[in-house]
Amino acid sequence: MKRKIIEPNKSKLSVARQCELLEISRSAYYYNPLPEDEEELNIKRMIDRIFIERPFKGSRKVWKYQQ
């Protein structure tokens, strides 16, 4: 991952310049993803279970099936 290459305090180049050279945005460099909450993980598990049972169903039918 390009973010790991950037050296914010050790390099003579600014973080902005390093991001420019690596062709990533500064916001991508500073972004820290939030951990998934338990409810979201449960929903993903349910969708996976439905898909394993019925792989031929599309997203609309999976949504209707789970209700």
Side-chain angles (χ1 to χ4, degrees):
M1 186 172 237
K2 292 181 181 181
R3 285 176 47 182
K4 295 180 181 180
I5 297 172
I6 295 176
E7 298 176 338
N9 299 324
K10 297 178 183 177
S11 177
K12 294 180 181 179
L13 297 173
S14 67
V15 170
R17 180 65 179 143
Q18 291 180 63
C19 288
E20 184 181 326
L21 291 170
L22 292 170
E23 298 179 343
I24 62 171
S25 65
R26 283 187 324 184
S27 61
Y29 170 71
Y30 288 111
Y31 176 73
N32 289 321
L34 297 174
E36 294 182 278
D37 63 342
E38 192 61 34
E39 181 181 359
E40 188 172 337
L41 290 172
N42 287 335
I43 291 170
K44 287 181 179 184
R45 286 185 196 110
M46 182 176 58
I47 291 170
D48 286 343
R49 182 179 43 80
I50 293 169
F51 182 74
I52 289 170
E53 292 173 4
R54 295 174 169 75
F56 49 86
K57 291 198 180 277
S59 60
R60 292 181 194 155
K61 290 187 178 185
V62 168
W63 184 80
K64 287 180 182 179
Y65 180 79
Q66 59 91 20
Q67 289 185 342

